[in-house]
Amino acid sequence: GAGYSARSEEFNVSQLELPALRTAGGQVRLVDTGMREVWLHGFRLAEGKRMMTAAEEARPQTKILVAMFSWSECNLQEFLWYLNHLLPLCDYLLYGHSLAWSQAKAKYRLILEHMEPVR
């Protein structure tokens, strides 16, 4: 959690500083599930305030959400949080799943309501 406590009285959203996006290469953000609401709030604030450089405008950002097996393992309520909050922010979803987990087919059908497969 970036050194911040999840308790609201110890956390001020203005303290949340996301690093500037790199103009070359990629960037990976791993977010602890205990801080996902804070991260999502900060991400949306940063996206709304961020001014694009000429290089960024020339080469638009591609946002890829990686959900390898974790979505098929979590319960449906947890899955729906990611589906409703993070999937709309992404251009692509890299999704690996196991049909051995309960609700895997249902989750895949829900994903297909928002995105189409690229093979």
Side-chain angles (χ1 to χ4, degrees), residues 9-82:
E9 67 270 11
E10 295 179 26
F11 180 77
N12 180 342
V13 173
S14 65
Q15 295 171 335
L16 184 64
E17 293 182 28
L18 298 175
L21 296 174
R22 296 169 34 170
T23 56
Q27 184 169 12
V28 175
R29 292 198 173 123
L30 302 175
V31 180
D32 182 89
T33 56
M35 293 298 291
R36 68 182 183 189
E37 296 289 345
V38 173
W39 175 85
L40 182 60
H41 181 75
F43 178 82
R44 287 185 172 151
L45 284 175
E47 286 290 298
K49 293 179 182 177
R50 191 170 71 83
M51 299 296 292
M52 292 179 67
T53 65
E56 289 173 326
E57 287 183 22
R59 196 191 74 186
Q61 201 179 64
T62 300
K63 295 179 183 154
I64 303 169
L65 176 60
V66 178
M68 300 304 294
F69 300 106
S70 57
W71 276 13
S72 53
E73 296 172 15
C74 67
N75 64 46
L76 192 57
Q77 181 177 348
E78 188 83 3
F79 168 81
L80 289 173
W81 186 93
Y82 291 102

Side-chain angles (χ1 to χ4, degrees), residues 91-103:
D91 301 307
Y92 295 95
L93 168 67
L94 178 58
Y95 180 61
H97 67 282
S98 170
L99 294 176
W101 290 98
S102 67
Q103 303 173 332

